[in-house]
Amino acid sequence: MGKKRSDFASQVLTIVRRIPYGRVATYGDVAAAARRPLAHRAVGNIMRTCHDTSVPCHRVIAAEGKLGGYAGDLQRKRSLLMGEGLAVSAGKVRNFAEVRWKAKKN
DNA sequence: GCATTGACTAGGG
DNA sequence: GCCCTAGCCAATG
């Protein structure tokens, strides 16, 4: 680390890193936790440009429990989610409402 | 500094 | 339930 990212990017990465095992959050939730509820697009852009291995980016999914996308292999993202006890079907998390992690304000 | 793009979201048909 | 449109933020050329 040491790479000086934008304050928003750094905040987003911190939020994603706080997502516990077996939980998932939407881009909107992460964006809202980063003080930018309308920056859901920017969150996806940050994850794409700053996909760090220290950040469980696979726990960040789109709304409605949809997986959305992933850097490299989307299938890997699905495998990771299923590996955490999440039921993924048709590119969506069935128990999304149950495993949805409520991001707290910072 | 403007235009384009992206792992998005919500709404309408 | 799917496709298209409009709107938002940040990074890149």
Side-chain angles (χ1 to χ4, degrees):
Chain A
M1 309 202 334
K3 298 280 292 185
K4 181 65 170 62
R5 304 186 189 87
S6 300
D7 295 340
F8 178 67
S10 183
Q11 183 71 347
V12 169
L13 294 175
T14 301
I15 299 299
V16 176
R17 213 180 306 135
R18 286 175 183 170
I19 302 176
Y21 178 91
R23 297 278 184 160
V24 293
T26 64
Y27 296 96
D29 288 345
V30 177
R35 292 306 198 173
R36 291 291 187 275
L38 304 181
H40 34 65
R41 268 178 143 250
V43 173
N45 195 13
I46 294 165
M47 304 315 276
R48 187 177 72 85
T49 58
C50 303
H51 49 87
D52 294 64
T53 55
S54 303
V55 180
C57 32
H58 62 272
R59 289 178 190 153
V60 183
I61 62 179
E64 300 296 319
K66 293 182 289 193
L67 299 185
Y70 192 77
D73 298 298
L74 179 60
Q75 296 300 317
R76 179 165 181 75
K77 183 176 185 176
R78 183 176 66 132
S79 299
L80 288 168
L81 291 172
M82 293 180 74
E84 296 193 359
L86 303 180
V88 181
S89 181
K92 300 182 194 167
V93 180
R94 291 200 158 292
N95 55 346
F96 166 67
E98 300 177 28
V99 299
R100 185 177 185 178
W101 175 67
K102 285 298 300 175
K104 295 172 64 178
K105 292 196 268 188
N106 184 29

